[in-house]
């Protein structure tokens, strides 16, 4: 009994410039996206019977081909990680270059934000995503020399149905110390990326902070956009200081690692400090603190915290002040 036909079989491809089957092996299907001069397609590996991704573009000359192959070489030398798709191989077919990587089923983070009418994604979801992406970036940065992605943005992060965040499109990625043309996206790429300066892992930390702003508010944090007030409007003003540090123009002023940024963001998010007026009671009493608190409770008061101080003093934070006099020691 023959196996059922794969959904790619017999379908028209989105680009008339591509052959139906590349290199006699990869059956081209739906176009997944495009950026710059490159296009990305879902395809079927007819030899291994599995879905893959083909990234392709026309070859201008030999130097251009070397630049294209640098991206594949960077990824193929990178240690496997669940947040990075595996690059299987690359090839040249006629006047086109192709890079073949694992197919990742999912939507990008731009689609996630667009699905929320009021802009921001719920905070717990954002924290979980930032944690995952930070772990992936630090994995890249721990290589020798470090690999800098250089273009972390919503369109370059896929969210799979099981909640896994996968970083894609390493066209702008470099190994620290390499000389190559810089690419970036205003609002998400660090200033040093857009200026064509030497890069470090701090460039990806900047992008991670910008991505956090976008996920929380739906606003790209370019100069003049009201992302700070948007954080306040959604009750997340306590995150501003952490985000500002991640977005500082000086790379040395940013958190040392992507995971450091993610941890600081989570710490700030989980800091649920009370607001409004609080009552502090300074008590001078030679009785024990426990006896003083018992007298307070008997008088109808409620305390949130207390600390013993020298010289028979106690500082008590009153959560429900008493309306009666606390009896003194007889």
């Amino acid at each position: 009994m023959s196996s059922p036909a794969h959904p790619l079989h017999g379908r028209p491809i989105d680009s008339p410039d591509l052959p139906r089957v590349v290199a006699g092996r990869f059956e081209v299907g739906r176009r997944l996206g495009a950026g710059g001069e490159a296009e990305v397609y879902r395809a079927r590996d007819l030899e291994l019977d599995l879905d893959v991704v083909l990234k392709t573009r026309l070859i201008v000359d030999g130097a251009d081909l070397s630049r294209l192959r640098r991206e594949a070489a960077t990824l193929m030398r990178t240690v496997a990680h669940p947040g990075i798709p595996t690059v299987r191989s690359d090839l040249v077919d006629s006047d086109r270059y192709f890079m073949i990587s694992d197919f990742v089923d999912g939507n990008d983070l731009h689609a996630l934000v667009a699905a929320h009418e009021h802009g921001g994604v719920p905070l717990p979801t954002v924290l979980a995503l930032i944690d995952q992406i930070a772990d992936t970036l630090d994995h890249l940065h721990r290589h020798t020399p470090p690999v800098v992605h250089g273009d972390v943005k919503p369109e370059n992060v896929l969210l799979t149905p099981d909640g896994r965040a996968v970083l894609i499109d390493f066209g702008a990625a470099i190994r620290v110390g390499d000389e190559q043309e810089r690419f970036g996206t205003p609002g998400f790429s660090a200033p040093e990326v857009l200026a064509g300066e030497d890069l470090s892992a701090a460039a990806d930390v900047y992008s991670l902070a910008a991505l956090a702003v976008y996920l929380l508010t739906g606003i790209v944090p370019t100069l003049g956009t009201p992302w700070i007030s948007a954080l306040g409007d959604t009750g997340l003003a306590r995150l501003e200081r952490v985000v500002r540090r991640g977005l500082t123009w000086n790379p040395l002023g940013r958190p040392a690692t992507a995971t450091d940024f993610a941890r600081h963001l989570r710490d700030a998010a989980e800091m649920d400090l009370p607001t409004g007026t609080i009552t502090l009671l300074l008590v001078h009493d030679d009785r024990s603190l426990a006896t003083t608190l018992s007298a307070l409770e008997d008088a109808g008061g409620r305390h949130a915290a207390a600390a013993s101080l020298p010289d028979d003093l106690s500082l008590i934070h009153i959560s429900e002040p008493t309306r009666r006099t606390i009896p003194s020691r007889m």
Side-chain angles (χ1 to χ4, degrees), residues 85-313:
T86 301
V87 173
R88 300 297 178 181
S89 62
D90 68 342
L91 59 89
V92 174
D93 190 346
S94 184
D95 58 352
R96 280 189 167 272
Y97 171 79
F98 293 86
M99 184 172 67
I100 301 95
S101 61
D102 287 348
F103 173 72
V104 178
D105 185 17
N107 295 315
D108 64 30
L109 296 189
H110 177 74
L112 177 66
V113 172
H116 291 78
E117 295 182 0
H118 302 293
V121 176
L123 179 59
T125 301
V126 174
L127 295 176
L129 288 171
I130 294 299
D131 283 345
Q132 287 191 65
I133 300 166
D135 182 72
T136 300
L137 291 173
D138 281 352
H139 170 76
L140 293 172
H141 300 160
R142 284 192 292 268
H143 283 71
T144 305
V147 175
V148 178
H149 184 278
D151 197 20
V152 179
K153 59 183 179 180
E155 293 83 355
N156 284 346
V157 182
L158 296 181
L159 183 60
T160 67
D162 62 356
R164 181 167 55 99
V166 181
L167 189 60
I168 62 171
D169 195 349
F170 282 69
I174 68 164
R175 290 182 176 270
V176 172
D178 286 354
E179 293 294 331
Q180 69 180 67
E181 186 178 0
R182 303 283 191 264
F183 301 96
T185 303
F188 291 103
S189 294
E192 61 268 26
V193 174
L194 300 176
E197 299 174 357
D198 292 339
L199 300 189
S200 67
D204 286 340
V205 174
Y206 180 101
S207 297
L208 186 64
L211 184 61
V213 171
Y214 178 72
L215 290 172
L216 290 166
T217 67
I219 298 173
V220 178
T222 52
L223 188 63
T225 55
W227 66 268
I228 296 175
S229 60
L231 280 178
D233 293 342
T234 54
L236 299 174
R238 62 190 183 277
L239 306 183
E240 179 188 340
R241 182 179 178 184
V242 175
V243 173
R244 277 186 177 276
R245 186 182 173 201
L247 293 176
T248 184
W249 280 55
N250 182 357
L252 297 178
R254 299 171 199 153
T257 68
T259 300
D260 283 346
F261 171 80
R263 185 178 65 254
H264 296 329
L265 189 70
R266 183 173 288 278
D267 288 346
E270 294 175 350
M271 186 184 300
D272 189 16
L273 294 178
T275 59
T277 302
I278 65 173
T279 302
L280 294 177
L281 181 65
L282 184 63
V283 178
H284 182 217
D285 198 336
D286 59 2
R287 294 177 295 185
S288 68
L289 178 59
T291 302
T292 301
L293 294 178
S294 178
L296 172 66
E297 296 283 347
D298 291 342
R302 296 291 182 268
H303 76 283
S308 296
L309 302 175
D311 301 324
D312 299 324
L313 294 175

